[in-house]
């Protein structure tokens, strides 16, 4: 390991300690140095001089404290150096005067440095708070309950500092029914947020209407195609932008769910007595949204859209439904193996939705070694 790497690691460690420790406790070390170094200097032989080490006290303070504390420690360090020179009767010597001037210059530098650093950190905090608020507006957290349905979700963006990317989910209530959407836009991370917002906006605009599920998906398709064409950059090709999605209705008074799949990975249905999950693969899957390609038989004799076909599956009391994006099912480990979602979900089929989604998310993270190759979204639904 190089000296630069060691120094960088030491600075990061000290800074972490400084941010986590209380301000007064962090200043105890520099104050101890300011007192101990001149005292020790008085007992050492004339040819051994430790007072120049007072700069360490200023540097340590700058790592974990602000400009005011750094300035205070700098002044005290200079006074301690003067005291040490007076004690040894060397204050007027050229060597001590140079040390005092150097310590003053270094202290001023550290004060300016901490001031600029704190200003920059304040700006970053404000920018991040605005960004987080905007992202929460786009990807609103799912409610823990929607009618007789319990929901739990997890989301991880491919970007380390982002809370949203190219995966999406949403829920809506209409009388007697809960509607869910999970999708994955083409692309990942921050560049795909625009397409994510278009899809979620289309779903929220129409999900509360009392229209059949196929008509809802057809509306989203129209809105997404218009949005992609309207909000494309000149260099972008709107025809290459699409969204895979699964949209479903869960009636309150029937032990079933109705599902329309637009090129999205099929959900998994977990039942306590089953040894493996039921894969909810619709018999007539539709193409991804935004391509402008309708499923076979979607147009009537007059050319009007006959919408999408919804498949019905059982969803009884205490069943658990796992919705996911390909960031989960296609997550790879170091050997290139896909994450065994069905196997792991079956092993924890009796867990509550919150615990199940937490275990799956942690297991995916362990499987990939913490890498963020793609966005990841999961929803676990239980009929309560």
């Amino acid at each position: 390991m190089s000296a630069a790497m060691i120094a960088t690691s030491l600075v990061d460690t000290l800074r972490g300690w400084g941010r986590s420790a209380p301000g007064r406790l962090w200043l105890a070390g520099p104050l101890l140095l300011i007192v101990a170094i001149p005292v020790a200097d008085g007992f050492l032989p004339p040819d051994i001089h430790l007072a120049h080490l007072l700069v360490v006290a200023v540097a340590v303070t700058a790592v974990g404290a602000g400009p005011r504390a750094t300035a205070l420690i700098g002044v005290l360090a200079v006074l301690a150096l003067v005291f040490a020179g007076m004690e040894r009767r060397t204050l007027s010597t050229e060597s001590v005067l140079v040390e005092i001037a150097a310590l003053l210059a270094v202290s001023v530098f550290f004060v300016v440095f901490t001031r600029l650093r704190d200003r920059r950190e304040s700006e970053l905090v404000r920018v991040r708070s605005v960004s987080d608020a905007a992202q929460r507006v786009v990807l609103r957290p799912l409610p823990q309950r929607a009618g007789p349905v319990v929901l739990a979700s997890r989301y991880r963006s491919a970007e380390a500092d982002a809370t949203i990317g190219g995966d999406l989910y949403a829920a809506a209530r209409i009388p007697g029914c809960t509607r869910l959407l999970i999708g994955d836009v083409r692309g990942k991370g921050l560049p795909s947020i625009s397409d994510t917002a278009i899809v979620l906006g289309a779903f929220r605009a129409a999900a509360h209407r009392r229209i059949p599920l196929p008509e809802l998906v057809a509306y989203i398709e129209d809105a997404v195609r218009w949005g992609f064409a309207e909000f494309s950059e000149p260099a972008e090709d709107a025809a290459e932008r699409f969204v895979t999605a699964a949209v479903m209705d869960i009636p309150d008074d029937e032990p079933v769910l109705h599902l329309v799949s637009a090129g999205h990975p099929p959900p998994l249905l977990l039942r306590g007595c089953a040894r493996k999950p039921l894969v909810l693969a619709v018999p007539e899957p539709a193409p991804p949204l935004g391509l402008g390609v309708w499923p076979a038989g979607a147009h009537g004799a007059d050319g009007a859209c006959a919408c999408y076909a919804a498949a019905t599956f059982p969803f009884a009391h205490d069943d658990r439904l796992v919705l996911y994006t390909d960031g989960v099912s296609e997550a790879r480990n170091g050997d290139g193996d896909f994450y065994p979602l069905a196997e792991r979900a079956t092993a924890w089929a009796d867990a509550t939705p919150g615990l199940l989604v937490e275990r799956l998310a942690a297991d995916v993270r362990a499987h990939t070694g913490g890498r963020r190759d793609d966005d990841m979204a999961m929803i676990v639904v239980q009929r309560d």
Side-chain angles (χ1 to χ4, degrees), residues 298-384:
H299 291 81
D302 57 355
C305 175
C307 301
Y308 293 78
T312 301
F313 298 95
F315 187 48
H317 169 71
D318 210 32
D319 285 352
R320 289 158 180 81
L321 185 69
V322 180
L323 310 174
Y324 57 94
T325 59
D326 59 9
V328 179
S329 58
E330 297 181 5
R332 297 175 182 265
N333 60 11
D335 297 329
D337 300 325
F338 288 122
Y339 177 69
L341 175 61
E343 175 186 338
R344 303 297 171 82
T346 304
W348 299 316
D350 294 333
T352 62
L355 182 59
L356 176 56
V357 77
E358 186 69 31
R359 286 178 175 176
L360 289 174
D363 200 42
V364 171
R365 187 164 54 250
H367 180 79
T368 61
R371 296 190 311 274
R372 294 172 178 258
D373 297 329
D374 197 0
D375 303 314
M376 182 191 79
M378 278 190 295
I379 307 174
V380 175
V381 188
Q382 179 182 0
R383 186 184 291 277
D384 193 1

Side-chain angles (χ1 to χ4, degrees), residues 219-243:
Y219 174 89
I220 297 174
E221 159 70 21
D222 286 340
V224 167
R225 280 195 296 125
W226 175 85
F228 285 176
E230 184 74 12
F231 299 102
S232 295
E233 297 293 335
E236 292 180 337
D237 185 359
E240 295 182 358
R241 299 162 68 184
F242 59 86
V243 186

